[in-house]
Amino acid sequence: LEAVKQAVFKALETKRFAFLIYSFNYGNEMDRLVGVSPLFVQSEATRIIQEALSTDDRIRGVENVSVEINGDSMTITFTVITQYGSFQATREVTR
């Protein structure tokens, strides 16, 4: 479970398409959500997290995504369901 937590952290800290060392399937595009309508952010954040984590076979899904927006930053909290159990994760995004 700790290895999956580390993989989730790394995938959500890496900007997608920004580094040649990673394939285009790795990383996320969360930074483009800052400053966008809160209603859009909630659904899009869920999609982006699920897409970023779907490449890991150990991860079964993502649930309970909540977004808190504070000016030019947002905090996203969610539950990751894995084959080894579940855990809570948080990602802060700033522009």
Side-chain angles (χ1 to χ4, degrees), residues 8-24:
V8 167
F9 174 80
K10 181 66 176 139
L12 295 178
E13 288 295 317
T14 303
K15 288 184 181 181
R16 195 171 188 184
F17 310 117
F19 305 100
L20 294 175
I21 193 169
Y22 299 114
S23 79
F24 287 156

Side-chain angles (χ1 to χ4, degrees), residues 8-48:
V8 167
F9 174 80
K10 181 66 176 139
L12 295 178
E13 288 295 317
T14 303
K15 288 184 181 181
R16 195 171 188 184
F17 310 117
F19 305 100
L20 294 175
I21 193 169
Y22 299 114
S23 79
F24 287 156
N25 294 331
Y26 189 78
N28 71 82
E29 303 168 66
M30 293 279 210
D31 56 330
R32 69 186 187 106
L33 295 180
V34 176
V36 179
S37 164
L39 292 175
F40 178 73
V41 168
Q42 179 69 38
S43 65
E44 196 63 6
T46 301
R47 184 193 65 76
I48 289 172

